[in-house]
Amino acid sequence: MELSNELSFHRANALARLSLAKSIASHLSKTNVCPVIVCIGSDRVPGDSLGPVVGTMLEEKRTPAYLYGTLRSPMTAREIAPLQRFLERTHPGAPVIAVDAAVGKSEEVGLIKLNASPLYPGSGAQKQLGCIGDLSVLGIVAERERGFRALELVRLGNVYAMAEVISDALASAIQTL
């Protein structure tokens, strides 16, 4: 399954895990290098914790990938530029998958978006912090119209449910390589 511009699945869709896993595996099958997964976010704001929760779940699953960003050791958007330089030196040629929470339109909340392009953390808050990744996974956790405060009001249960789908799909995709 070749990944075109963007694929979107609602976290409650029964086929989301399988479809995401197949799309990610297809992208990763182009190389035989161990992938890098960068899970971006902060554990201080529920809506921004999607990345670190995904990272922690992948760590608990013992996913065979280089993993950066967990609840114990979060990777924030401000650390993207130095991390990018580090990854270029430490994991040359490795495919990088970036995972982050995002804001969107009210009808997009709950969607998981997969893009064959870099992720621009902080862009929802009009911040230019650089980009990272060859493949990006965004979980739409809140409405853009509500501003940054919306991320503080997101229910952790919704973030957790979305993180389960994303981590299961990533683990499954990587296990098939």
Side-chain angles (χ1 to χ4, degrees):
M1 177 183 294
E2 186 64 29
L3 181 59
S4 59
N5 293 334
E6 177 181 275
L7 295 176
S8 296
F9 305 94
H10 194 276
R11 69 170 177 84
N13 182 331
L15 296 176
R17 283 175 173 82
L18 178 62
S19 299
L20 281 169
K22 284 187 174 215
S23 297
I24 293 166
S26 174
H27 184 80
L28 294 177
S29 69
K30 298 173 187 167
T31 179
N32 61 353
V33 180
C34 183
V36 174
I37 303 174
V38 178
C39 298
I40 302 159
S42 169
D43 60 343
R44 295 179 182 206
V45 178
D48 196 34
S49 68
L50 178 68
V53 173
V54 169
T56 298
M57 288 177 174
L58 290 170
E59 187 177 61
E60 290 170 354
K61 295 174 196 296
R62 301 185 194 282
T63 304
Y66 297 104
L67 180 63
Y68 298 92
T70 63
L71 289 170
R72 274 190 293 280
S73 184
M75 182 63 52
T76 67
R78 288 189 178 95
E79 298 165 307
I80 293 304
L83 178 64
Q84 184 70 19
R85 291 189 295 274
F86 170 80
L87 294 178
E88 289 169 2
R89 287 190 321 269
T90 311
H91 308 289
V96 178
I97 304 167
V99 180
D100 197 7
V103 294
K105 299 174 185 170
S106 62
E107 63 270 13
E108 293 179 313
V109 174
L111 289 181
I112 298 168
K113 295 185 177 190
L114 178 65
N115 291 290
S117 60
L119 187 138
Y120 292 84
S123 61
Q126 282 66 51
K127 295 179 183 176
Q128 295 180 349
L129 303 170
C131 66
I132 192 161
D134 303 300
L135 192 65
S136 57
V137 181
L138 285 172
I140 311 298
V141 297
E143 292 180 43
R144 179 181 295 122
E145 295 79 29
R146 295 182 185 243
F148 185 76
R149 179 103 170 103
L151 292 176
E152 295 173 350
L153 302 173
V154 170
R155 295 188 57 208
L156 188 56
N158 291 335
V159 171
Y160 193 86
M162 193 174 286
E164 284 182 313
V165 172
I166 295 168
S167 66
D168 286 352
L170 285 166
S172 177
I174 292 168
Q175 294 290 348
T176 63
L177 299 177

